[in-house]
Structures are given as C-alpha cells and as structure tokens.
Amino acid sequence: MRAVILSGPKKLDLIHVKNPESDGKNVIIRVTACGICGSDLHYWELGVGMDGLPGLIMGHEFCGMVHDPGNRQDLKKGERVTALSINPCGVCKNCMSSHSNICMDGLKRPNPGNNSPGAYAEYISVRPDMVRKLPDTVSEKEAALIEPASVALHAVTLADIRIGDSVLITGGGPIGVLCAVWARIHGAGFVVLSEPDVYRIAFSKEQGFFDQVLDATDTDINKKIRKITCGGADVAIETSAAEAGIQTAISSLKTSGRLVMAGISFRPQSVPTLTVTMKELTIKAAFAYVPSEFDLTIDFLSKKKISIEALVTSEIQLEKVQHTFEQFGLKNQKNMKVLIRPFIYH
Ligand SMILES: [Zn+2]
Ligand SMILES: [Zn+2]
C-alpha cells in the first residue's frame, strides 16, 4: 500500500509498504480520510515520533471502511467506521477510575499515528474494541473531526462551565474552535477568542463560532478582554501552548477564575505565578479524551446537535502531504483542518 512516512526532520516520503496483516483480531480499515493534527507538526519538525524514532506513519484522526473485521463479528466489510487512536491497558488505577486517557502505561503502549502505524496510509490496523460504527448522518468530514472534537470536549468538560459563564479561548486553531462549540453546549453565555493569525481571525469571524474575535497581537488585548467580560472571564481554555496565549489567559481571568490548559508544547513555557496566586486561579490540564466523550461526539454529530464541518478547509492526496506541512510552517498559510484522502485521485 502507499503510505507517507516521517523519514527525518521536516521530511515526509510517500513510499510503498506492506499492507497491515490480518491476524483474526485487529480490524483493518481502508482509510477514506485522515486529519492533519498540530501534534503531527511537532513530530514533523523533530523528524521522529513519540518514541524518538524516525519512520513513523502519522495520522490519528481518521475514518474509513472495514476491510477486515478481525474479531468484531458485528462489523461487515465495507461498513463505515472510525476508531479511537488510544490504547489504554484497562487495568491500571487510572483506567479503572474512568481516566483511561491518562493510562499509567498508555504512552509506552503502541498508539496509532504516534508510535505505531497511523492513517497517513491506505490501510490501518486498529485495536478491535476501539472501532466505532459511523451513523449514516455523519459525513466523512465530520467523521475525521470526531477525534479532535473529543479532545475539545474533554477540555471543556474539565472547565466546569456554568450557565452564563464568560469563556475566553486562546488559540483559534481547530481545537480552539471546537472548544467554543462545546462551551456553548455547556451553557457559556459569552465566548471570546484571542488569536494572532490573520487568516484564522477572519475564519472565526466569518463562521460565527465566537461572540467576539480579538487579535492577540493587539497590545491592549488583556484590557479589552477584561472590559468585554465585565472584569475578567470566568473561564479560560488555553489551546495555543504559546507563552503569549498562556499570559493572556491568566491576565484576562477574573479572581477565582478557572483555566484549562489544553495546548501541548514540546518546550517549557513560563507561567506568571504572581498573577495566578493573587487571583487564586484554578488551573487544570486536559489530555486527549475518554471513550465516553468520543461516543458522545459521534452521537451529537449524528443528531446534528453540533455543526463543525466548516473546519475542514482543504482535502489533499498523499502526494501533497509534505508540501502541505511546509505551508503550515509559513505565516500566510490559509488552513484550519486539512484532510488527507488516500484514495481520491484528481
Ligand atoms: Zn489530533
Ligand atoms: Zn491503564
């Protein structure tokens, strides 16, 4: 099959590799769409996957059709499916207490697209109990967004939003926008975005995901947010993992405000401890999602309770992946979520 491998820093190669082998257990999925994630960009810059090794096939936000149902007798060849790209042990303290997203053994185990073959390929082999059937009412674009939407749902759930709360989101990438969607479902009264990228500012204004969109490069940004939230936001969800975003989130929160850190940076970022302590802020961190959040996302999409398809701004073939990653590094890139379509030829 054709697959894109990460062969070195900023280097992706389209090569032929052996198809995943049927073992009577795992489900083999013919990939129809796979999203490019911000974490994939980190791996691309470093040239290695989570295990520090080159040669990774990335891609953990995918959907497709059953090619081999493995031991899932309820699945038929050709049926539309997606899968959770996590691999919790199921027996550790965290797994046993509904926190399988932070399974104590989780990151050492094979995780598709992070340290074992992902979906930047024509086929992927996945753990059978992680496969989910896709309702007919969920489109291909939506299906590829279930994974990042679950990440956002997890962050918003931790934010403990109360009806009418003002919510600041720093970072207007796909996760930031998806957090806004869930924040509304949770009852947020006012949702404001702080984002530095011109394209992403325009995108969010046009799509109406937020009540207000502010330019993060504005030197008065913190003052403006405090003003429009009448003294400070109740909740901030930080998705940029950039120092400026973290500073804005902390400075713009009201006293006793709540911050959820959902962005991941591979480098340490500083936190203004004086402001944090003097405001007695509550800080939580969010990582990935639990299966019930993934299932709830599918349910909400199938019933049209959330509308997120607009986040997909382009679809590319495997041949274009390297080029697209290079574009992402440029200041004038014009994309939110890019989907790879391994079987669509133009
Ligand atoms: Zn992702
Ligand atoms: Zn575990």
Side-chain angles (χ1 to χ4, degrees), residues 149-297:
S150 307
V151 171
L153 172 59
H154 186 69
V156 172
T157 303
L158 286 177
D160 195 17
I161 294 168
R162 292 152 208 167
I163 291 179
D165 272 356
S166 54
V167 177
L168 162 68
I169 289 165
T170 50
I175 296 292
V177 170
L178 291 163
C179 282
V181 171
W182 289 119
R184 289 214 192 283
I185 299 275
H186 278 76
F190 183 78
V191 189
V192 54
L193 170 69
S194 167
E195 161 63 42
D197 180 78
V198 177
Y199 169 79
R200 290 187 163 178
I201 289 172
F203 174 88
S204 276
K205 279 187 177 170
E206 205 179 288
Q207 296 294 334
F209 285 111
F210 299 86
D211 295 298
Q212 197 141 355
V213 177
L214 297 176
D215 181 351
T217 62
D218 181 340
T219 48
D220 276 339
I221 180 86
N222 302 340
K223 223 189 275 172
K224 281 188 180 165
I225 297 167
R226 284 198 297 269
K227 193 168 170 221
I228 56 176
T229 55
C230 304
D234 298 297
V235 168
I237 303 175
E238 209 302 302
T239 72
S240 73
E243 203 146 309
I246 297 167
Q247 305 282 340
T248 294
I250 289 170
S251 307
S252 309
L253 277 168
K254 68 169 192 184
T255 313
S256 304
R258 308 183 293 285
L259 168 65
V260 174
M261 302 193 71
I264 297 175
S265 168
F266 284 22
R267 294 179 203 96
Q269 306 288 344
S270 66
V271 168
T273 54
L274 183 66
T275 318
V276 170
T277 51
M278 288 188 70
K279 287 190 188 176
E280 287 204 333
L281 300 181
T282 299
I283 302 183
K284 290 184 186 174
F287 179 68
Y289 48 86
V290 292
S292 60
E293 289 161 340
F294 196 89
D295 293 335
L296 191 124
T297 303

Side-chain angles (χ1 to χ4, degrees), residues 37 39 60-61 147-148:
C37 176
S39 62
H60 58 268
E61 305 175 358
E147 203 272 351

Side-chain angles (χ1 to χ4, degrees), residues 25-84:
K25 182 174 159 262
N26 274 11
V27 179
I28 298 173
I29 297 172
R30 185 183 196 264
V31 179
T32 53
C34 176
I36 294 177
C37 176
S39 62
D40 297 345
L41 281 160
H42 290 302
Y43 292 148
W44 180 72
E45 272 170 15
L46 296 170
V48 290
M50 193 168 74
D51 52 6
L53 300 171
L56 175 70
I57 300 173
M58 300 190 289
H60 58 268
E61 305 175 358
F62 57 90
C63 61
M65 290 185 295
V66 175
H67 179 68
D68 173 356
N71 69 7
R72 282 281 300 265
Q73 287 168 359
D74 60 319
L75 294 177
K76 287 190 290 291
K77 188 169 178 169
E79 203 166 355
R80 293 175 69 228
V81 288
T82 183
L84 292 84

